[in-house]
Amino acid sequence: GPRDEDYEIPPITPPNHPEPPPLHLMEHDSTSYLCHSLPHNGLINPYSYPELPTLMMSNMLAQESHLVSNQMPSLNQMVQAIGAAYDCVRPCVMQSSPPILPNPMSALTQLNLQVSRGALPHGSPSPPGSKSATPSPSSSNQEEEAEAHLKMTAEKRPSSDMMKPKPKPQKKKKKKDPNEPTKPVSAYALFFRDTQAAIKGQNPNANFGDVSKIVASMWDGLGEEQKQSYKRKTEAAKKEYLKALAAYRASLVSKTNNDPVETKSAQTSQPSPHMMPANPLYSVQPSSPYLGPGAFPLADLQSYAGHAPRHALSQTLSQSQMLPSISASPPSSFQISPPLHPHQQLSLHQSSLLNQPIGMQQVQSQPIIPHQMGLQASLHSPPPGQQGFSHLQSEYQKSIGGSQSPGASGP
DNA sequence: CCGCTGATTGTTGAT
DNA sequence: ATCAACAATCAGCGG
């Protein structure tokens, strides 16, 4: 795969971790060249999810928790070191520490922070999007070049001649019949759609690239169960899509044969009496549309964050973050998002709709229900904006040590 | 027939 | 309509 290339294998394995961690630890991120050393730390902290995790992953929670604690110290150190090296690092560290916030937001917040950094007020070297910008000119030159070369080679040479079915070069989108039924979006796309809103809401500054990375990380960290849930939806949609497609084709054929004029009526009636014609997909998915954007995702977001993104996220975050917060405008980008917990609702919905294991688990294992409710209530009312949680922010900071200054807070 | 690879598609938002 | 990063999916070809 494309991104595999990057995986260069982490030069440094986490000394502290005896076992290969489930996820975050190992992140050999692709872009590690930027800052290998601190990969996880950045994430780790941020991802320490206190109670959210219960969402879906019970076991992970346990593991991670302990992991987090272990890493915390190292994280600080690393950060410091890194900071020294790269001047930008401190930010990442900061908030990571909250040991256990009562609210789920913690994870989310962290996430935000990371992301927010992307906004970079001024000159920041290398936003995620601008890969070519190359943050470190001298140091990674060779590597970069090599990489680039490799890429190019791969891109151009490799299979171009060899295997390239390439029946039709169609560079970009091929026109599709407008009438043709839309293909069901992939599980990932679905997930992206949902999550993206939440992420953006929390980090307005995050650009598409950042969001994409985060989402990817989340997706990666997403429990299989959850993934499956998405997949199920997709599958169902696909099924219907197939049907619709068949119908569409049939109608098309008939249309061709018969009368073009009948297109409309043919479509409508042909497709299947019992199924919906226009967009089977949407009708199928109860999740996003009904609950609303952000509902599920948000909750998930937290859990995802906690889960520990494998690679990109950490890197991305660390990179970006570092620069911005350097000086001191933490709060600006760092808005804590309202802990909306629509998640609960969602779970219920899902479970009822498609017996979701997740939801059940949550309820069972998570006694926090009351807690959540409270949060929900508070969050729910206020707009997704950032006002409602301002106090939260304070609290959060407080708990973590007031200032995010890395050096300041010693172990 | 299965696996691998490349190309395509989809997500949002800005241009 | 296009692009950004990313993942899923599709299509084609080789063993």
Side-chain angles (χ1 to χ4, degrees), chain A residues 232-233 283-291 345-357:
Chain A
R232 277 192 215 165
K233 289 180 204 162
S283 53
V284 176
Q285 10 180 288
S287 62
S288 28
Y290 298 97
L291 296 172
Q345 294 176 3
L346 184 77
S347 318
L348 290 172
H349 269 280
Q350 281 186 350
S351 58
S352 60
L353 285 168
L354 24 115
N355 67 10
Q356 276 263 0

Side-chain angles (χ1 to χ4, degrees), chain A residues 60-74:
Chain A
M60 281 162 132
L61 182 54
Q63 286 181 6
E64 286 178 351
S65 314
H66 90 270
L67 279 170
V68 170
S69 48
N70 281 351
Q71 299 189 357
M72 289 263 247
S74 61

Side-chain angles (χ1 to χ4, degrees), chain A residues 66-396:
Chain A
H66 90 270
L67 279 170
V68 170
S69 48
N70 281 351
Q71 299 189 357
M72 289 263 247
S74 61
L75 168 77
N76 284 344
Q77 289 181 4
M78 272 176 113
V79 172
Q80 285 182 5
I82 292 158
Y86 303 39
D87 335 341
C88 32
V89 194
R90 0 333 229 239
C92 324
V93 190
M94 50 336 160
Q95 359 265 242
S96 39
S97 1
I100 356 170
L101 293 179
N103 26 359
M105 297 171 48
S106 62
L108 190 57
T109 303
Q110 291 171 2
L111 195 108
N112 297 342
L113 285 164
Q114 297 177 2
V115 178
S116 59
R117 146 237 124 304
L120 281 185
H122 40 260
S124 149
S126 51
S130 57
K131 280 179 179 166
S132 40
T134 324
S136 45
S138 54
S139 70
S140 48
N141 241 356
Q142 288 185 353
E143 273 187 298
E144 229 180 84
E145 268 191 48
E147 225 181 305
H149 186 57
L150 211 123
K151 249 181 190 174
M152 274 172 78
T153 308
E155 215 175 331
K156 259 172 129 190
R157 303 277 294 225
S159 32
S160 282
D161 334 347
M162 271 186 104
M163 48 188 329
K164 211 181 195 167
K166 210 185 229 155
K168 271 185 179 178
Q170 285 161 344
K171 267 184 201 156
K172 297 218 155 171
K173 310 176 163 160
K174 62 169 118 180
K175 291 176 199 169
K176 280 172 28 186
D177 292 359
N179 298 337
E180 195 175 303
T182 54
K183 276 165 86 171
V185 294
S186 65
Y188 180 76
L190 214 66
F191 178 74
F192 187 100
R193 192 194 278 164
D194 290 348
T195 313
Q196 163 274 142
I199 294 172
K200 268 257 179 189
Q202 317 261 337
N203 311 275
N205 316 341
N207 60 358
F208 184 85
D210 289 342
V211 174
S212 182
K213 279 179 184 163
I214 292 171
V215 172
S217 297
M218 283 175 169
W219 177 257
D220 195 14
L222 205 57
E224 280 206 23
E225 295 170 4
Q226 288 249 349
K227 271 192 197 169
Q228 265 197 356
S229 90
Y230 274 98
K231 281 197 175 173
R232 277 192 215 165
K233 289 180 204 162
T234 303
E235 226 176 307
K238 193 167 166 190
K239 218 153 122 197
E240 294 211 13
Y241 162 74
L242 250 60
K243 278 200 222 163
L245 190 69
Y248 168 74
R249 281 191 193 169
S251 72
L252 213 89
V253 174
S254 72
K255 168 168 92 182
T256 305
N257 286 348
N258 286 344
D259 214 47
V261 179
E262 273 195 278
T263 324
K264 216 173 178 185
S265 51
Q267 277 182 6
T268 312
S269 50
Q270 282 249 6
S272 334
H274 57 292
M275 70 162 120
M276 43 288 302
N279 318 330
L281 303 196
Y282 294 111
S283 53
V284 176
Q285 10 180 288
S287 62
S288 28
Y290 298 97
L291 296 172
F296 175 23
L298 205 50
D300 288 18
L301 200 87
Q302 298 167 357
S303 57
Y304 300 148
H307 189 115
R310 258 145 74 109
H311 41 280
L313 185 53
S314 56
Q315 203 171 358
T316 303
L317 295 171
S318 52
Q319 272 184 20
S320 340
Q321 260 190 342
M322 309 173 144
L323 325 118
S325 32
I326 292 178
S327 59
S329 29
S332 58
S333 45
F334 159 138
Q335 355 181 325
I336 301 181
S337 52
L340 358 93
H341 248 270
H343 167 74
Q344 237 183 330
Q345 294 176 3
L346 184 77
S347 318
L348 290 172
H349 269 280
Q350 281 186 350
S351 58
S352 60
L353 285 168
L354 24 115
N355 67 10
Q356 276 263 0
I358 298 164
M360 285 179 78
Q361 283 186 1
Q362 287 180 15
V363 175
Q364 281 182 12
S365 57
Q366 260 301 14
I368 59 176
I369 291 174
H371 188 51
Q372 285 186 355
M373 274 176 97
L375 286 170
Q376 218 179 358
S378 36
L379 316 162
H380 221 316
S381 313
Q386 31 293 46
Q387 311 228 355
F389 45 87
S390 72
H391 65 284
L392 280 169
Q393 189 183 343
S394 299
E395 248 184 312
Y396 173 75

